[in-house]
């Protein structure tokens, strides 16, 4: 009986919206909607490559 109650409790907790928000705290809309000239939006590797290009250009 205790196992069934524990299973039901775990099911209720894991199916709730607040638990999902804890596991996936990110918003569905991307935060990268800054507009032209206000930042660079891209994947981590793209941003890294872009920063390397800017560094090389600034050394010249």
């Amino acid at each position: 009986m205790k196992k069934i109650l524990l299973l039901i409790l775990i099911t209720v907790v894991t199916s709730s919206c607040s638990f999902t928000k804890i596991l996936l705290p990110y918003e569905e809309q991307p935060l990268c909607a800054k507009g032209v000239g206000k930042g660079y939006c891209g994947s981590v590797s793209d941003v890294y490559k872009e920063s390397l290009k800017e560094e090389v250009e600034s050394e010249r």
Side-chain angles (χ1 to χ4, degrees):
M1 183 69 177
K2 288 182 182 181
K3 288 183 181 182
I4 294 174
L5 287 175
L6 182 62
L7 182 61
I8 291 172
L9 179 65
I10 290 172
T11 303
V12 168
V13 169
T14 57
S15 66
S16 69
C17 293
S18 61
F19 185 76
T20 305
K21 198 69 165 168
I22 291 170
L23 290 178
L24 303 169
Y26 307 106
E27 297 294 326
E28 291 183 17
Q29 297 295 324
L31 296 176
C32 199
K34 295 180 178 183
V36 177
K38 295 185 180 181
Y40 183 79
C41 299
S43 67
V44 173
S45 58
D46 290 341
V47 173
Y48 178 71
K49 289 174 188 175
E50 190 67 29
S51 67
L52 287 178
K53 285 181 191 177
E54 290 176 4
E55 185 177 318
V56 168
E57 290 175 359
S58 68
E59 289 178 358
R60 289 182 186 175

